[in-house]
Structures are given as structure tokens and as C-alpha cells.
Amino acid sequence: MAAPIEAKVKASTAATFGVGVAIAVLNDVAADSSLLGPLPSWLQAPLLALVPAGLTWLAGYQARHSPRRPTNA
């Protein structure tokens, strides 16, 4: 059975997702989609939100985890 994902991984992913959403909203409000020029505008917002969150999750998961106490099975 896989170990549960630690709180540090969940928190960093949620924070990055929030920042990605904020950047996407600012990009849309400014009506300047030159950051991701060749992509259609409907794809830019999800991409800005999901890619940083996914990379943060991966980095947090690959980071050294705190030791866990043995469980009695």
C-alpha cells in the first residue's frame, strides 16, 4: 500500500495552483496573451494553472520526506 502524500506536498501544490490562477486572470484582464502567443486563449488559462502545480507536486514528491513511524499491521 502506498504511503499517503505529505501535507507539505499538498500545500505547495495548492499554493502554486492559486498563483497560476491569479496569473491567468491577470493575463486575461490585461488582454495581453503574448506570454503564450501561439496557443489559443482558451488553452492558456488552464496551462498557466496546471503546469506549475504539476511541477511543484513532482518536486515536492521527489524531495526527501520526513521519517515515518512504523505501523503495526
Side-chain angles (χ1 to χ4, degrees):
M1 183 170 168
I5 298 173
E6 291 186 18
K8 70 176 184 163
V9 176
K10 292 178 187 177
S12 63
T13 303
T16 304
F17 181 77
V19 170
V21 168
I23 291 171
V25 168
L26 288 174
N27 189 40
D28 190 45
V29 168
D32 179 20
S33 57
S34 63
L35 292 173
L36 302 172
L39 295 175
S41 60
W42 63 268
L43 183 60
Q44 291 178 7
L47 187 69
L48 284 170
L50 294 174
V51 169
L55 293 175
T56 302
W57 181 87
L58 182 62
Y61 189 78
Q62 293 292 328
R64 186 176 185 149
H65 293 277
S66 54
R68 295 189 175 107
R69 290 184 276 163
T71 59
N72 296 331

